[in-house]
Amino acid sequence: MSKKAIVVVESPAKSRTINKILGPRYVVLASMGHIMDLPKSKMGIDVEKDFKPEYIIIPGRKKYLTQLKEEAKNADVIYLAPDPDREGEAISWHLKNQLGKKKKVLRVAFDEITATAVKKAFEHPRAIDTNLVNAQQARRILDRIVGYSLSPILWKKVTRGLSAGRVQSVAVRLVVEREAEIRKFKPDEYWELEASLGKKSAEKRSFNASLEKIDKKAFRIKNESEAKRIKEDIRKNEFIVTAVKGQKKSRRPQAPFTTSKLQQDAFNKLRFSVNRTMRIAQGLYEGVELGGEESVGLITYMRTDSVRASQDAQAAAKEYIENAYGKKYYPAKPNVYKSKKSAQEAHECIRPTLPLRKPDSVKSFLTTDQFKLYELIWKRFISSQMVNAAYSVTTIEIEAGIYLFKTSGTKVVFDGFTALYPTSDTPKEGEQHKDLWKIPQLVQGERLDLLSLNDSQHFTKAPARYSDATLVNVLEEAGIGRPSTYAPIIYTIIMRNYVKRIKGYLSPTELGEIINGLLVKHFPKIMDTGFTAKMEDKLDDVEEGKLDWVRVLKDFYGPFMRDVNEAKKHMKSVKTEGVKTDEICEMCKKPMIIKWGRRGKFLSCSDFPRCKYAKSITTGVKCPAPNCEGELIERRSRRGPFYGCTKYPNCKYISRTLPEKNAESEGQNESNKESHKL
């Protein structure tokens, strides 16, 4: 080996873990993420020269790059080891250009930070994959073109400080359209009937059956009077068992986690926002101190859409399952799952790096959140390698004239994978589910006693607002975004104050709805989910070497800029017209309108600039600061929306959420500090 080798990764946590694996012969350094990017002050893309990007050293990274260059001077070989994805490849490419002149530069990539995986990667280094770099570069340039073209229009038409993103704007549209569905929804009344039945014998056991069909047809009882009429008619008939059906069913384990499925399960089971989930997962991947000098990555790379597991991981899972549960819980051959067509099969699923490492064995070294997430990942992977759960399902059909009633229940025959990873409706082995144990032994043709006939009123429900989990699911199903983008998408639309969380669910702000309306009208392609998904497919083709990245940009740029020029001329100016309200100007008695400024929305006289009267829009919530008589108003800063006091600067109270709503916004609570410096 060379007398001196340096290794460059993104973060200090990752560098510490890898340094302990490789030992003192290597110097492991951190670049702190990307070292180069497009300039913030201008577009930074020469469209006439095949979209040549103007990369500059990120100001906050200059000191780190200087340190890296100093170390590289005396190095015989430079290993670049950022994450195994497009972003990691782009970071490596920039590092090579800055550090690799007349140096031997090699790329190493691994899906897990363990001694075995890291050492194997260093035994088989490779060149930088230019296809991956080009795919990342094409995405970055696309997003820059869209953002730096749309944002100035929004500044002119709405207010300064706004921005629009290619993928984020589509996500906002989904949230806005769901809110519109909820608003226009009108609940329909319907009624259900349930009979309490018993055997014509001394046996006292009763059971319930629901009315399923009338005259062999599906139906809906619309109101109480109709329900009463049907009840009266049913009572005229004798209840006869017409069918007793038994069926064996099995349930296969769920596949190991991909990024989107981890984010969804972490929200549903742990109430973690996607950003919180990915931050915790990053720490588990980069390495955790397990006592003494041992530092190890506990999970594989957490940005993946693959469900593939290595043979070594499957073998370790088999060993654990057979020792902990017995051989009957392991299938005849390992379970294999099929990834989506677009998945990167070179990657693995998200799994524990060492399946034999039980969560309880590392609990004392983890934070509460780290333990919860590691346990979720560990259980999901181990259970994915277990046998199916087996059930016995019994369905009983009972007729009363033209009225068909049904009841059914499930009994666990063998719990299989649910012994470790139960589903929400999984009963324990040996227990019956859905009241099957209450049903007496019945035979076809048997007559039953009607003990009571009960009706219940219901109303159809509006579609639910998206949660982090359901929005990620919709984005994934629509082909919008990729594993590395789901968390940033949601984080960005909230920070821009286009979307807010209410009791953990996403709702558009007034500003978000206005901007969405403008963009949908003037940029129908950009805001179309199908178009956005096709663009993702093209970027995948660039990554696979099937498509030239410049061609992708050229095909996009011409039609997009025609829409930009049209919007500049014809887009409605909310900045001057505002949003109408019922309030009257106290100075000139003209109507007041809502406008948006640098610090948030406010009321302005519609006769501006002749009348310059304006006032803040308060929330109606009294400022919680001691001895303060002010109210809280919504404001914006570069770090996102917040609530401040109307008595500022005399009162400097600020909060990320309204005080009485702090419990409603789990995802925002993690960044909510009463005295947070904005």
Side-chain angles (χ1 to χ4, degrees), residues 46 62 70 94 258 260 262 280 312 317 346 382 456 460 499 506 525 557 564 668:
D46 193 333
K62 286 183 179 179
E70 193 64 32
H94 287 304
T258 59
S260 65
L262 173 63
I280 298 164
D312 289 343
I382 297 295
S456 56
T460 55
V499 169
L506 303 173
K525 273 193 174 180
Y557 187 76
V564 168
Q668 291 176 347

Side-chain angles (χ1 to χ4, degrees), residues 622-629 651 653:
K622 186 178 179 299
C623 177
N627 303 316
C628 181
E629 297 300 321
C651 175
Y653 174 89

